[in-house]
């Protein structure tokens, strides 16, 4: 048998015991790498998962980490003595969740998140450290793939269409609209054959059958018809679309317009070239205007831009004629401003000929004489038509990207000119449950957990300034209100001139994984915590049921030293009379491998005898091997004493009450028989009411005895359909009979049908009315009202009696609770009626409560669901 070890020894006395702790079957089988180091950093122990992660077995000389080589995530080598484990041992703070890259001797690399933690002895002194390495390689790769995909998709400029296996169009992007002339609204839900010329209709069947086989069709040159009936040449690439189970559910089609594609490409290339040349000023037109003589002069390039022959001398008015009429105003405003502040800068359209419109940008400077009078303006003009076009194309490609991003299964967000607002794809919107068509959210911090917002914003701000990729983890509110941990990897975006224009990010829900990690960390701490702070005793046995562990709490209670507890040593402190039963229960649990709970008395070292509840059951190693029994022992003396008191009380009360009630009942029946044939109707009537009430009392007593039943939840209802109005009136009549001093007034009401246990509800009404009578000795008016609203029927009983303090409004519905009330008068009672009433009403799905002011009176009410 393994030498039993106290858990504190296991953790704290650093030596053999540590090896035993880590030879623990649970740790060895754990799918997470764990290892420990001593104060000098030498690896003392490690589990199988650690060897797997490192790709090697430490040989005794390894310090800090068993890895062959490690790197920071930016790729720079990380010296082993600066690794997180080394930092912990040197007392340097470690950033949580910072990943490292591990290179194995065979060259393969893994990414892991280390969780190092110091091991301290009783005195709080560090005696080593334990590290847990969580392998996140798989997650990392997946995230990178998504980001890469998003980047590729972003730069695509093609018409993209998806359809079901039956050929029904399910998505249609703006480019598709451009190429084929149909809008998304016109095409979605339509059959794709709308685009296919009749002589090519057989192609579609061929395409679909290939897709169904999981094949991809690339660069298939064919013809399609546009909305206007024009035949166009297109090149198709079609791929199968699979659902998350890998089943093919449709096809996505990329259509490229063959001729337009070439044009577009050329325009883009030219615009890039022009931009370069413009930078070198070769494309800049220059001009000058003498403000005194109004005499202009223009460079050849300027004349060319405006559509004049180089070397010609157009006058000022023919230059003005070239300006696009709608932009004349812009030009005049710009010149007016230039004369005021000295600089000119504006964009406008010009028309070098009837068919051509060009965008130009003019910049200039005003020169003054020494008196400050403007003399002339010197300026440059650049043809920016292509730049503008390129910008439009960029805008379009952005739109197209959004379409594709919307079909991506990961959450994607993107910021543009607006630093804190931006596009969110459908997955993101679905996750947060926002109904928003364009995905533009103004302030998405609304969805971040309040505790995470500050860090969330700061990381973003810093990255924005540095224009750097960043990573965040935070809790995001899901559509159902639950906050989930999200990993958020963002990379900077650039426009085609290379300027930074915001970020694009792929987010993943890592909540389950995160919780798993947290659990692992918690379980790492568990050994320490339970041994030190547990208010209950803990124990474990081997497979033969022999004790091999008790915690400090048990040792403190019994006063028996740890080495005398093992095997059956612990039994010595159990009260002799209880030993056999206890052992029997344990034996049965061991044999049947099932849970048990047993009570026994313990002789404590301070001489007191205390009631204990031991609960336990079998425990298994990760690979499912039975290891023995484990469990806890809690001190239940107080509870036990209360229980005994309660049971005693109930027994006495039942005995005391049953006898007098039975004899009253017998006498009532006897009297009833005697007067049966007489002609005194009043007596007959009174006797039958009396018998009625006695029956109710009998019922109440038996209910009282059934209190314990309520507690254990074995409380049954017998519902039936009845009119609550009638029941209330009947009960009020009964109580009025026996409370002649009070005046019970029931407000008129229509029928109020409920499906409820009539008998029990009558108990509640009786209880309310009896209390109203009992607790209003001075003012005798009692009003009963009923109403029907929102699917519930309400009954209210109002008295003008002693009332109840606000702090007792809840408490009076508790078992045995009686309000202090008026000190001068004493009221009889058990404090049980309202408790039973509350149980009855809640069981019916209704509500019960009171509005009351001390000294003024109370309104007790209950509600019941209206019968359907
Ligand atoms: P009992 O009346 O037998 O004590 P109940 O459970 O019916 O038990 O009521 C609990 C306590 O609530 C009472 O002891 C009393 O202090 C208070 N209470 C109940 N009804 C009224 C009422 N109408 N006015 C003032 N106090 C009340």
């Amino acid at each position: 048998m393994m030498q039993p070890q106290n858990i504190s020894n296991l953790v704290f006395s650093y030596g053999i015991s540590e090896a035993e702790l880590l030879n623990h079957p649970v740790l060895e089988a754990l799918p997470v790498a764990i290892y420990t180091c001593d104060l000098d950093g030498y690896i003392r122990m490690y589990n199988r998962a650690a060897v797997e992660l490192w790709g090697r077995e430490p040989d005794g000389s390894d310090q800090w980490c068993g890895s062959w080589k490690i790197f920071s995530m930016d790729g720079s080598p990380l010296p082993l003595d600066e690794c997180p484990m080394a930092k912990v041992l040197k007392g340097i703070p470690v950033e949580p969740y910072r990943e490292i890259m591990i290179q194995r001797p065979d060259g393969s690399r893994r990414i892991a998140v280390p969780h190092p933690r110091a091991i301290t002895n009783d005195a709080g002194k560090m005696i080593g450290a334990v590290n847990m390495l969580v392998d996140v390689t798989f997650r990392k790769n997946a995230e990178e793939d998504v980001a890469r995909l998003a980047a590729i998709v972003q730069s695509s400029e093609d018409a993209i269409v998806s359809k079901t296996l039956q050929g029904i169009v399910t998505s249609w992007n703006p480019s598709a609209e451009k190429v084929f002339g149909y809008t998304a609204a016109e095409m979605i839900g339509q059959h794709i054959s709308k685009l296919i010329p009749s002589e090519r209709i057989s192609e579609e069947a061929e395409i679909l059958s290939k897709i169904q086989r999981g094949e991809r069709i690339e660069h298939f040159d064919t013809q399609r018809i546009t909305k206007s009936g024009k035949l166009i040449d297109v090149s198709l690439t079609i791929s199968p679309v699979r659902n998350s189970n890998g089943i093919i559910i449709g096809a996505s089609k990329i259509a490229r317009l063959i001729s337009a594609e070439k044009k577009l490409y050329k325009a883009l290339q030219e615009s890039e070239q022009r931009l370069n040349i413009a930078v070198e000023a070769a494309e800049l037109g220059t001009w000058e205007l003498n403000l005194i003589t109004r005499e202009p002069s223009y460079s050849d390039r300027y004349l060319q831009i405006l559509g004049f022959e180089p070397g010609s001398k157009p006058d000022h008015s023919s230059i003005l004629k070239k300006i696009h009429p709608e932009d004349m105003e812009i030009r005049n405003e710009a010149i007016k401003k230039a004369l005021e502040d000295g600089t000119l800068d504006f964009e406008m359209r010009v028309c070098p000929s009837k068919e051509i419109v060009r965008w130009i940008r003019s910049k200039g400077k005003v020169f003054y004489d020494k008196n400050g009078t403007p003399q002339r303006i010197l300026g440059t003009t650049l043809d920016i038509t292509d730049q503008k076009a390129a910008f439009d194309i960029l805008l379009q490609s952005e739109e197209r990207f959004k379409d594709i991003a919307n079909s991506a299964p990961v959450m994607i967000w993107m910021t543009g000119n607006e630093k804190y607002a931006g596009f969110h794809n459908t997955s993101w919107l679905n996750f947060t449950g926002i109904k928003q068509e364009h995905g533009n959210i103004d302030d998405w911090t609304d969805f971040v957990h309040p505790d995470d917002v500050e860090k969330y914003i700061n990381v973003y701000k810093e990255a924005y300034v540095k224009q750097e990729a960043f990573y965040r983890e935070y809790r995001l509110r899901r559509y159902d209100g639950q906050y989930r941990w999200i990993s958020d990897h963002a990379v900077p975006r650039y426009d085609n001139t290379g300027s930074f224009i915001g970020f694009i990010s792929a987010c993943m829900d890592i909540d389950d994984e995160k919780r798993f990690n947290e659990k692992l960390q918690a379980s790492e701490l568990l050994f320490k915590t339970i041994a030190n702070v547990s208010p209950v005793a803990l124990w474990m046995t081997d497979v033969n049921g022999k004790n091999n562990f008790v915690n400090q709490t048990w040792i403190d209670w019994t006063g028996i030293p740890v080495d005398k507890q093992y095997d059956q040593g612990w039994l010595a402190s159990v009260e002799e009379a209880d030993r056999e039963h206890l052992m029997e229960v344990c034996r049965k649990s061991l044999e049947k491998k099932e849970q048990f709970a047993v009570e026994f008395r313990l002789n404590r070292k301070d001489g007191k005898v205390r009631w204990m509840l031991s609960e336990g059951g079998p425990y298994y190693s990760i690979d499912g091997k039975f290891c023995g029994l484990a469990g806890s022992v809690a001190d239940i003396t107080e509870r036990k004493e209360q229980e005994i008191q309660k049971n005693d009380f109930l027994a006495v009360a039942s005995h005391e009450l049953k006898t007098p009630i039975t004899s009253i009942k017998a006498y009532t029946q006897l009297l009833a028989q005697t007067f049966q044939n007489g002609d005194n109707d009043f007596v007959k009537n009174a006797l039958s009411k009396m018998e009625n009430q006695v029956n109710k009392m009998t019922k109440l007593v038996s209910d009282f005895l059934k209190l314990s039943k309520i507690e254990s939840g074995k409380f049954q209802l017998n519902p039936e359909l009845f009119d609550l109005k009638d029941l209330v009136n009947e009960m009020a009549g009964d109580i009025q009979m026996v409370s002649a001093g009070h005046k019970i007034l029931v407000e008129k009401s229509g029928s109020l049908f409920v499906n409820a246990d009539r008998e029990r509800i009558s108990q509640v009404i009786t209880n309310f009315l009896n209390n109203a009578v009992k607790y209003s000795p001075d003012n005798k008016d009692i009003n009963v009202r009923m109403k029907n609203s929102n699917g519930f029927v309400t009954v209210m009983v109002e008295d003008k009696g002693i009332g109840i303090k606000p702090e007792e409004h809840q408490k009076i519905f508790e078992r045995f609770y009686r309000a202090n009330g008026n000190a001068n008068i004493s009221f009889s009672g058990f404090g049980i009626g309202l408790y039973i009433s509350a149980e009855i009403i809640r069981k019916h799905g209704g509500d019960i409560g009171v509005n009351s002011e001390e000294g003024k009176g109370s309104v007790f009410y209950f509600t019941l669901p209206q019968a359907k």
Side-chain angles (χ1 to χ4, degrees), residues 800-814:
K800 307 267 187 297
I802 61 169
I804 304 155
K805 291 192 197 106
E807 63 270 25
E808 293 186 307
H809 287 184
Q810 292 282 334
K811 289 188 180 152
I812 53 170
F813 294 97
E814 287 169 16

Side-chain angles (χ1 to χ4, degrees), residues 767-768 770-776 797 799 801-804 808 811-814 816-821 827-837 850 852 857-860:
N767 181 227
F768 274 18
N770 277 334
N771 280 349
V773 170
K774 183 159 77 174
Y775 297 103
S776 58
V797 175
D799 65 58
I802 61 169
I804 304 155
E808 293 186 307
K811 289 188 180 152
I812 53 170
F813 294 97
E814 287 169 16
F816 299 139
Y817 190 87
R818 308 202 64 221
N820 287 331
F827 298 95
S828 65
F830 288 112
I832 180 186
L834 287 179
Y835 170 67
I836 294 184
S837 298
V850 65
S852 177
S858 317
V859 181
F860 277 84

Side-chain angles (χ1 to χ4, degrees), residues 645-845:
Q645 256 176 18
K646 186 185 92 183
N647 289 342
D648 287 354
F649 172 78
L650 286 180
V652 172
S654 80
H655 183 78
E656 295 296 321
L657 287 171
K658 249 186 174 163
T659 325
I661 290 173
T662 315
S663 64
I664 292 175
K665 189 171 172 169
Y667 282 117
T668 314
Q669 282 167 348
L670 215 69
L671 278 172
Q673 273 167 22
T674 314
F675 284 93
Q676 199 174 4
N677 299 320
D679 51 6
N680 190 336
D681 282 347
F682 172 75
V683 173
K684 278 200 271 186
N685 191 15
L687 279 171
S688 94
K689 289 242 154 100
M690 222 167 128
E691 195 178 343
N692 221 345
Q693 291 299 324
V694 171
N695 285 341
K696 273 182 194 150
M697 261 165 103
T698 319
K699 193 95 194 8
L700 258 175
V701 170
S702 79
D703 275 349
F704 184 58
L705 293 173
K706 281 177 200 150
L707 253 188
S708 57
K709 241 188 188 177
I710 292 183
E711 316 262 89
S712 58
K714 294 177 196 147
F715 176 52
Q716 291 295 329
L717 291 182
N718 298 313
E720 59 184 292
L721 186 69
F722 66 93
D723 188 346
L724 188 61
K725 175 209 39 170
D726 294 342
L727 184 66
V728 169
N729 279 301
E730 188 186 318
M731 291 296 111
D734 288 355
I735 306 288
Q736 182 68 80
M737 281 282 293
V738 292
S739 324
H742 281 76
K743 200 165 144 228
I744 304 176
L745 197 75
V746 183
E747 200 179 87
K748 273 215 159 49
S749 150
S751 287
L752 300 167
F753 278 97
V754 291
N755 210 339
D757 188 325
R758 197 170 192 276
E759 191 55 39
R760 305 257 190 219
I761 299 302
S762 79
Q763 280 176 24
V764 178
I765 301 166
T766 312
N767 181 227
F768 274 18
L769 290 168
N770 277 334
N771 280 349
V773 170
K774 183 159 77 174
Y775 297 103
S776 58
D778 299 330
N779 189 323
K780 312 284 186 188
D781 286 341
I782 292 165
N783 293 311
V784 183
R785 285 189 298 277
M786 288 167 267
K787 68 170 189 198
N788 190 350
S789 65
N790 298 331
F792 280 87
V793 173
T794 309
V795 175
M796 287 162 281
V797 175
E798 182 190 26
D799 65 58
K800 307 267 187 297
I802 61 169
I804 304 155
K805 291 192 197 106
E807 63 270 25
E808 293 186 307
H809 287 184
Q810 292 282 334
K811 289 188 180 152
I812 53 170
F813 294 97
E814 287 169 16
R815 200 174 55 137
F816 299 139
Y817 190 87
R818 308 202 64 221
N820 287 331
N822 190 329
N824 302 324
I825 318 169
S826 78
F827 298 95
S828 65
F830 288 112
I832 180 186
L834 287 179
Y835 170 67
I836 294 184
S837 298
E839 286 299 316
I840 292 173
I841 295 300
R842 279 175 204 138
K843 256 243 144 92
H844 278 90

Side-chain angles (χ1 to χ4, degrees), residues 513-548:
E513 184 190 340
K514 187 113 178 162
R515 273 175 219 281
F516 176 67
N517 284 345
E518 276 166 10
K519 267 193 203 143
L520 276 181
Q521 281 185 44
S523 83
E524 178 204 333
L525 276 174
L526 187 67
F527 280 133
K528 268 189 184 180
T529 319
I530 53 174
N532 290 340
V533 302
S534 168
V536 294
L538 300 167
W539 52 264
M540 268 161 127
T541 74
D542 63 13
V543 285
N544 301 313
K546 295 190 171 165
N547 184 285
N548 59 11

